[in-house]
Amino acid sequence: MILVVTYSRGARTTLRNVCRSHCDTVIRRFGRAALFAETELGAFLACRLRAKHGADVQVEHTEPFNEFAAVRPAVREAAVAYEDRDAPSTPYAKFAVGADHPDPAAMRDAEL
C-alpha cells in the first residue's frame, strides 16, 4: 500500500478531492492521510500530490502488518492477557510484574 500524509491545508484539500474522484484506488482515508492501492494509479496519485504540494506531502510504501509473522507469541499472549485484566486502570508495567509477560522496557528496545 501507499501511505500519503499531508501537512498543509491545500494538500489536505487536494487529497480529499483525489479520494473522492478515485474511491476505487483509495483503501482508507484518515483525514489528513490516506492509503492508496499499490497500483500504478495509486503511485500516480501520490506522485501528483507530491508534485503539486512538495514537502507538504509525505509518501511512504507500507506493508500490511502480520502479527503472527512479525510478533513473537509471548508478546501476542501478553497483549491478550492485558486486555482481559481485572482492573482496566492497571498500567501494563505493573500488570507484567511477577507474571510471565515481557517487560515493557525490553519490548521498547526490541525490533520486530
Side-chain angles (χ1 to χ4, degrees), residues 23-88:
C23 57
D24 54 329
T25 302
V26 178
I27 295 173
R28 180 115 188 210
R29 184 157 178 261
F30 308 97
R32 61 179 59 218
L35 284 171
F36 293 163
E38 193 171 338
T39 63
E40 286 187 347
L41 180 57
F44 167 80
L45 296 171
C47 290
R48 179 180 158 225
L49 283 160
R50 284 285 301 225
K52 183 173 184 175
H53 297 285
D56 287 340
V57 175
Q58 178 181 350
V59 178
E60 298 290 335
H61 185 245
T62 66
E63 296 178 16
F65 179 66
N66 181 343
E67 66 186 87
F68 299 101
V71 181
R72 60 189 173 102
V75 174
R76 290 193 315 269
E77 293 164 7
V80 171
Y82 182 60
E83 283 307 309
D84 290 338
R85 67 195 181 278
D86 295 330

Side-chain angles (χ1 to χ4, degrees), residues 12-22 29 48:
R12 285 192 301 273
T13 300
T14 304
L15 177 65
R16 183 178 59 245
N17 293 338
V18 165
C19 289
R20 287 180 182 165
S21 300
H22 301 281
R29 184 157 178 261
R48 179 180 158 225

